[in-house]
Amino acid sequence: MGGCFSVSVSCDNVVNQVCQYLCLKGSYIHNLSQNLATLQKAMGLLKAKRDDVQGRVGREEFTAHRRRLAQVQVWLNSILTMENQYNELLNTSDVELQRLCLCRLCSKSMKLSCRYGKKVILMLREVESLISQGEFDVVTDAAPIAEGEELPVQSTVVGQETMLEMVWNRLMEDEVGVVGLYGMGGVGKTTLLTQINNRLSNKTGGFDVVIWVVVSQNATAHKIQGSIGEKLGVGGKEWDEKSDVERSHDIHKVLQRKKFVLFLDDIWEKVNLSTIGVPYPSRETGSKVAFTTRSQDVCGRMEVDDPIEVCCLDTDKAWDLFKKKVGENTLGSHPDIPELARKVAGKCRGLPLALNVIGETMARKRSVQEWRRAVDVLTSSATEFSGVEDEILPVLKYSYDNLDGEMTKSCFLYCSLYPEDGLIDKEESIEYWIGEGFIDEKGGRERAMNQGYEILGTLVRACLLLQDDKKESKVKMHDVVREMAMWIASDLGKHKERCIVQADTGIREIPEVKNWKDVRRISLMKNDIETISGSLECPELTTLFLRKNELVEISDGFFQSMPKLLVLDLSGNNLSGFRMDMCSLWTRSLERLDGISELSSLRTLKLLHSKVRLDISLMKELHLLQHIEYISLSISPRTLVGEKLFYDPRIGRCIQQLSIEDPGQESVKVIVLPALEGLCEKILWNKSLTSPCFSNLTNVRISNCDGLKDLTWLLFAPNLVADSVQLEDIISKEKAASVLENNIVPFRKLEVLHFVKLPELKSIYWNSLPFQRLRRLRLSNGCRKLRKLPLNSKSVVDVEKFVIKYDDEEWLERVEWEDEATKLRFLPLCTTRSMIF
């Protein structure tokens, strides 16, 4: 028989274990409702404790600038996780309770109910544990704000040391709260502000906190608040979820007790400090705000009356920066390289961005051929130079992108047609814009011109154009900005032949172009082209500049394939004549205009100082021009003996500049002009004349008109210059009586009175006048008989800017003032110092 194996197990133990298991599982089910109620109550207690701790943390963080303890943050995060799990568990509680049966002692699915009941028990234990852990003696510790964070920047600001000190000194002035730096892109504004930030980060200036925010385009208050909040140590997920108004209050609570400096780099529109929560700087708080922008308009909207312009470097400082980037080893590698390097640096026109990028590009190029190639490329097509199209032009393009409206953008791009370093005449450029159709002239020429000046102002304030220092009527474009404009006009270099610009380059013939059909604008002004033959098929061409060449001949068929040509400038050439159909025509040296009436779209006709003279024949052709709005012309005095010439009042309104010339002709005693309502400038040479009023006349020059006795017909001249030895009265009381019956106030727009060589002049006007715009009165070279000035104690609105300049010291002693008050008002303004008018 085989072996026998037996096991003896106590029946009581087995029964006890089974009972315990069944009781535990049973408690998950029959106690489920009670356990859920207990869990819900515990969870409410945990949330209340969390709210108390969070409130305590918040108060200490924002009022005492303390930092929450890590263990507190861990506890709060655990509660957030627990709350999510609790909500998921609670969402299925109704289903689980409905699954119970037999008075909730059993379940229709024992397995599912046991599993759910177990989750409830385990969560209840975790919640109770978190409640016990939430007893904190302290919830925060001291966390003083760092004085500032030093930003990476070159150790020295080459060429801008003086500017750096000026910005620093302005910021440190007690009366200054907000400092604005403006200038074109790449000029070094951010570099300067970074240097200031780093000085203050080294605990200079006694500030509690230094905050640096990069704003850039399309920034929102929420984004700026986020950057400030992170610096102040109040950031975090919970703070991020707050509204802008709540975040503003939080920031204000911290900063109102601090002496702070806030740097806002690269702003494109007004940053409302109160919306962000930044207390406005004041002398009492000692806090400061400094910002950089490319727009002078933004400085105004930020209420900075005296912003600091950051300009390009002068030639010497630009060379210093370029040398530093290139390195002495490269510059010394060949004796010809330094001279070539100066030419390359000169192409940057003092723009630090260009000097840095191009200097770094040339740093390892030590053959003279490479440097000669660099000069050639930067002269002919700078966009092909390494780094220009990738690193320089895109930075500048932000200013273009920020311009408001396609009209302003088109006007800006048009300015790139002018020569490199060339001055841009404001009024001339506006006339081009009108001719191209950028500016609508339907509302009248004056309104269109005003809109043009507004656009010019916008471009200057955006640092895309520069106001000329010497001539108010001129602007200019930085060469690198010009490259950017031509790059944009060529669709970022994709269609380089769309605009052909070879102005003032010395060419002698029309350049070769692969595809003339794609050309939109051509600028060949200021060259040495003498003849143009053949024809160009340019179906999309709208502008052609050929002025100031040596042109003597243009072939008959040259313009035949230019159906969209709107602006043609041939001024400053020696052409004998031509025929054309366009909207705007500049013709300074023409001798005749045959068939001009065929120019059906012509709107602007400039004949001033040309060899063409207005006569009956030309007037008849002008009469047929239905769209003409602007005419400047020269006229012979013989044709003005009668008024028949100006039989068309519509043409009379279009004549805005008129020159009466040909002094070599036989003397004409009387010249009669009709009421030319549009006339803005009249130039007279060696003639006598009479005329009614010209309501829009702004400039009159009269030279050697010895027969003139009075200028009564200039009642509304804003700028009067006279040189006629027999002139006795400016306005004759007798002759002006009929004109002044309608209570017309003379000289209401007058800005300057300048009398030269008038020994017989006795009276300007018989009564005192208000002179609402008068700025200067000058008496030159003998006006000894003029004793009474048309002034009283209320004349001249802006008297602080008014000056009386005279040459004869004895004249002042003979002046008969209206009364003592008038004398006290104007005598201190009289001076014999030399003055330019």
Side-chain angles (χ1 to χ4, degrees):
M1 295 183 63
C4 180
F5 178 76
S6 66
V7 177
S8 176
V9 179
S10 171
C11 182
D12 290 341
N13 289 337
V14 172
V15 171
N16 287 337
Q17 291 178 8
V18 170
C19 290
Q20 289 177 3
Y21 175 80
L22 292 176
C23 289
L24 179 62
K25 293 291 186 181
S27 67
Y28 291 159
I29 297 174
H30 65 76
N31 290 334
L32 180 60
S33 179
Q34 180 181 350
N35 291 341
L36 280 171
T38 303
L39 176 61
Q40 187 172 7
K41 183 177 180 181
M43 197 66 196
L45 180 61
L46 179 61
K47 288 180 179 180
K49 178 159 291 207
R50 177 203 61 190
D51 292 343
D52 290 341
V53 172
Q54 278 188 333
R56 183 178 167 190
V57 169
R59 286 190 299 272
E60 292 183 19
E61 282 182 332
F62 290 117
T63 60
H65 188 67
R66 296 172 64 84
R67 180 181 57 194
R68 68 183 63 189
L69 295 175
Q71 60 178 329
V72 173
Q73 187 61 51
V74 170
W75 182 74
L76 291 173
N77 291 340
S78 298
I79 294 176
L80 182 62
T81 302
M82 179 60 64
E83 189 173 12
N84 292 333
Q85 294 174 354
Y86 170 76
N87 290 334
E88 291 177 3
L89 193 70
L90 205 63
N91 287 337
T92 60
S93 61
D94 291 340
V95 175
E96 294 297 335
L97 290 174
Q98 291 174 4
R99 187 179 283 127
L100 301 181
C101 58
L102 298 178
C103 298
R104 297 186 174 181
L105 295 175
C106 193
S107 171
K108 299 173 184 178
S109 176
M110 292 292 292
K111 183 177 180 180
L112 292 176
S113 294
C114 286
R115 183 184 300 167
Y116 183 79
K118 184 177 181 180
K119 286 182 179 179
V120 172
I121 292 293
L122 293 176
M123 183 172 291
L124 178 60
R125 292 173 183 170
E126 289 184 35
V127 169
E128 290 173 342
S129 174
L130 286 173
I131 293 173
S132 63
Q133 294 173 24
E135 300 295 332
F136 298 103
D137 294 331
V138 293
V139 294
T140 62
D141 60 4
I145 302 175
E147 285 77 6
E149 178 183 357
E150 188 166 332
L151 302 174
V153 69
Q154 56 193 34
S155 57
T156 58
V157 186
V158 179
Q160 291 185 321
E161 297 86 354
T162 302
M163 177 65 69
L164 177 63
E165 292 307 313
M166 183 176 74
V167 176
W168 173 264
N169 293 335
R170 176 75 63 84
L171 189 65
M172 293 299 108
E173 290 179 14
D174 292 338
E175 301 298 328
V176 174
V178 182
V179 174
L181 278 65
Y182 76 95
M184 62 184 292
V187 80
K189 305 180 296 297
T190 299
T191 301
L192 285 170
L193 206 64
T194 303
Q195 290 280 355
I196 301 294
N197 172 85
N198 290 350
R199 280 194 187 184
L200 295 174
S201 298
N202 294 326
K203 301 183 180 181
T204 303
F207 292 96
D208 300 321
V209 57
V210 179
I211 306 169
W212 179 277
V213 179
V214 178
V215 181
S216 299
Q217 288 179 302
N218 303 318
T220 62
H222 191 83
K223 177 185 175 183
I224 298 173
Q225 287 175 334
S227 299
I228 296 174
E230 182 180 355
K231 179 64 181 178
L232 297 179
V234 299
K237 183 175 181 181
E238 181 182 350
W239 195 73
D240 290 342
E241 294 174 353
K242 288 186 176 183
S243 69
D244 289 355
V245 175
E246 292 173 320
R247 287 152 64 104
S248 175
H249 291 326
D250 292 343
I251 291 172
H252 193 272
K253 286 179 182 177
V254 176
L255 291 182
Q256 68 180 348
R257 293 180 172 84
K258 301 292 180 181
K259 182 181 179 182
F260 65 86
V261 179
L262 172 62
F263 292 113
L264 300 171
D265 185 40
D266 194 25
I267 71 174
W268 292 81
E269 57 187 18
K270 177 181 179 179
V271 175
N272 194 315
L273 299 179
S274 60
T275 299
I276 295 170
V278 176
Y280 200 84
S282 65
R283 180 186 179 91
E284 290 71 27
T285 63
S287 295
K288 308 284 183 178
V289 171
F291 64 86
T292 66
T293 179
R294 299 190 190 186
S295 171
Q296 195 174 355
D297 285 339
V298 170
C299 294
R301 290 193 286 271
M302 290 293 290
E303 300 181 25
V304 177
D305 294 331
D306 189 20
I308 298 173
E309 181 180 9
V310 182
C311 301
C312 291
L313 304 179
D314 62 34
T315 303
D316 292 338
K317 292 179 179 178
W319 173 239
D320 289 341
L321 176 57
F322 192 72
K323 282 195 303 182
K324 181 178 177 64
K325 289 297 176 181
V326 173
E328 293 296 335
N329 290 335
T330 297
L331 290 172
S333 60
H334 191 282
D336 292 343
I337 287 181
E339 182 180 352
L340 293 169
R342 281 189 177 273
K343 292 181 179 180
V344 172
K347 294 295 179 182
C348 301
R349 292 295 186 271
L351 184 65
L353 172 64
L355 291 163
N356 283 320
V357 172
I358 295 176
E360 291 167 359
T361 301
M362 300 302 296
R364 301 299 298 171
K365 296 186 177 182
R366 298 184 179 180
S367 70
V368 69
Q369 291 81 6
E370 289 176 298
W371 281 90
R372 288 171 182 161
R373 169 66 177 167
V375 174
D376 291 341
V377 172
L378 289 171
T379 301
S380 59
S381 181
T383 54
E384 297 179 6
F385 192 89
S386 177
V388 171
E389 196 167 7
D390 298 332
E391 301 179 53
I392 298 176
L393 300 186
V395 173
L396 301 180
K397 186 175 178 289
Y398 285 124
S399 297
Y400 169 83
D401 294 336
N402 198 56
L403 292 175
D404 187 15
E406 291 303 316
M407 178 194 304
T408 304
K409 291 181 178 180
S410 296
C411 292
F412 164 70
L413 296 181
Y414 204 86
C415 292
S416 66
L417 299 179
Y418 283 83
E420 183 178 298
D421 296 326
L423 292 178
I424 301 172
D425 184 86
K426 291 181 179 179
E427 187 163 330
E428 177 186 74
S429 64
I430 296 171
E431 289 170 351
Y432 289 147
W433 298 343
I434 294 172
E436 269 274 0
F438 301 151
I439 299 177
D440 192 348
E441 206 175 13
K442 292 180 180 179
R445 186 171 187 81
E446 182 179 359
R447 183 175 182 180
M449 293 299 292
N450 290 339
Q451 187 174 9
Y453 275 103
E454 181 182 23
I455 291 172
L456 283 169
T458 298
L459 295 176
V460 170
R461 291 189 295 275
C463 299
L464 289 171
L465 290 180
L466 306 171
Q467 175 62 53
D468 184 60
D469 297 332
K470 298 179 180 178
K471 297 181 180 180
E472 179 63 28
S473 62
K474 310 286 185 181
V475 291
K476 52 190 175 182
M477 180 180 279
H478 190 282
D479 288 352
V480 182
V481 173
R482 179 173 175 267
E483 287 291 339
M484 180 265 290
M486 291 192 291
W487 177 61
I488 295 173
S490 67
D491 193 14
L492 307 186
K494 298 175 184 176
H495 301 91
K496 293 185 178 180
E497 293 186 338
R498 185 167 290 175
C499 291
I500 306 300
V501 183
Q502 292 192 31
D504 198 16
T505 58
I507 60 174
R508 295 179 176 273
E509 57 186 17
I510 301 294
E512 293 184 4
V513 175
K514 292 181 180 179
N515 183 17
W516 284 106
K517 293 182 179 180
D518 190 44
V519 177
R520 309 292 174 84
R521 298 185 181 99
I522 301 175
S523 176
L524 304 176
M525 64 173 75
K526 299 182 69 175
N527 281 301
D528 300 319
I529 302 173
E530 296 183 1
T531 61
I532 297 178
S533 58
S535 63
L536 299 178
E537 188 175 355
C538 301
E540 301 298 324
L541 186 66
T542 59
T543 289
L544 175 57
F545 289 161
L546 290 168
R547 73 182 196 187
K548 294 187 178 180
N549 274 274
E550 302 296 331
L551 280 172
V552 293
E553 181 183 353
I554 297 178
S555 63
D556 293 339
F558 181 72
F559 300 105
Q560 287 181 351
S561 299
M562 302 177 184
K564 294 185 179 180
L565 188 61
L566 297 173
V567 177
L568 172 64
D569 191 344
L570 293 168
S571 61
N573 288 289
N574 295 304
L575 292 167
S576 59
F578 71 95
R579 297 173 63 175
M580 190 53 215
D581 182 9
M582 66 209 80
C583 288
S584 300
L585 182 61
W586 284 259
T587 60
R588 176 154 295 184
S589 297
L590 290 174
E591 293 180 357
R592 71 181 191 275
L593 279 175
D594 297 332
I596 194 173
S597 59
E598 298 179 13
L599 309 183
S600 58
S601 301
L602 193 66
R603 293 195 304 227
T604 299
L605 177 62
K606 294 184 132 186
L607 298 168
L608 196 66
H609 303 316
S610 70
K611 297 178 182 180
V612 176
R613 294 290 181 269
L614 180 63
D615 55 19
I616 292 294
S617 176
L618 180 55
M619 192 66 182
K620 288 180 179 179
E621 294 213 50
L622 294 178
H623 173 70
L624 299 176
L625 297 174
Q626 297 301 312
H627 299 287
I628 194 71
E629 295 184 1
Y630 180 95
I631 299 174
S632 69
L633 48 78
S634 302
I635 191 169
S636 169
R638 279 188 168 277
T639 62
L640 288 172
V641 175
E643 295 189 41
K644 293 182 180 180
L645 184 61
F646 296 95
Y647 65 90
D648 186 348
R650 181 178 65 87
I651 297 300
R653 287 192 294 271
C654 295
I655 296 176
Q656 299 193 28
Q657 287 183 301
L658 179 64
S659 174
I660 304 173
E661 300 184 357
D662 295 340
Q665 290 191 6
E666 182 181 341
S667 177
V668 176
K669 297 299 183 183
V670 178
I671 294 176
V672 180
L673 288 176
L676 303 179
E677 298 177 10
L679 192 63
C680 294
E681 182 170 1
K682 180 165 53 181
I683 304 167
L684 309 167
W685 302 98
N686 302 291
K687 298 301 165 189
S688 302
L689 69 159
T690 61
S691 172
C693 302
F694 296 87
S695 58
N696 290 322
L697 201 59
T698 59
N699 191 294
V700 179
R701 282 173 282 166
I702 303 170
S703 299
N704 302 320
C705 299
D706 295 345
L708 284 176
K709 295 293 185 181
D710 67 82
L711 297 174
T712 306
W713 50 276
L714 290 179
L715 280 171
F716 297 94
N719 191 334
L720 179 62
V721 181
D723 179 359
S724 180
V725 295
Q726 297 184 30
L727 195 64
E728 297 178 1
D729 300 302
I730 301 302
I731 303 298
S732 169
K733 184 176 183 180
E734 179 182 353
K735 294 181 181 180
S738 60
V739 180
L740 300 174
E741 287 178 355
N742 297 324
N743 295 323
I744 296 175
V745 179
F747 302 130
R748 56 183 175 171
K749 297 181 181 179
L750 190 68
E751 295 183 4
V752 177
L753 271 171
H754 184 187
F755 301 118
V756 185
K757 295 181 181 179
L758 300 176
E760 300 300 321
L761 181 63
K762 298 177 181 178
S763 171
I764 298 175
Y765 195 76
W766 61 91
N767 280 331
S768 59
L769 293 171
F771 289 121
Q772 297 173 342
R773 298 186 183 180
L774 192 63
R775 295 179 288 109
R776 299 168 187 165
L777 169 60
R778 182 173 182 179
L779 307 172
S780 300
N781 299 329
C783 297
R784 302 176 65 87
K785 293 186 179 181
L786 181 62
R787 302 290 183 85
K788 186 73 177 292
L789 300 177
L791 302 172
N792 63 17
S793 59
K794 297 182 180 179
S795 298
V796 185
V797 175
D798 197 356
V799 72
E800 291 81 6
K801 297 181 180 180
F802 179 63
V803 64
I804 299 175
K805 169 67 171 62
Y806 61 93
D807 292 342
D808 184 0
E809 295 186 4
E810 296 181 1
W811 171 83
L812 188 60
E813 299 175 0
R814 297 192 297 268
V815 172
E816 300 174 2
W817 301 100
E818 178 77 14
D819 51 36
E820 188 64 23
T822 305
K823 182 177 180 180
L824 291 174
R825 183 176 176 86
F826 292 104
L827 185 60
L829 306 178
C830 298
T831 178
T832 58
R833 292 189 305 170
S834 60
M835 186 175 297
I836 297 176
F837 284 83

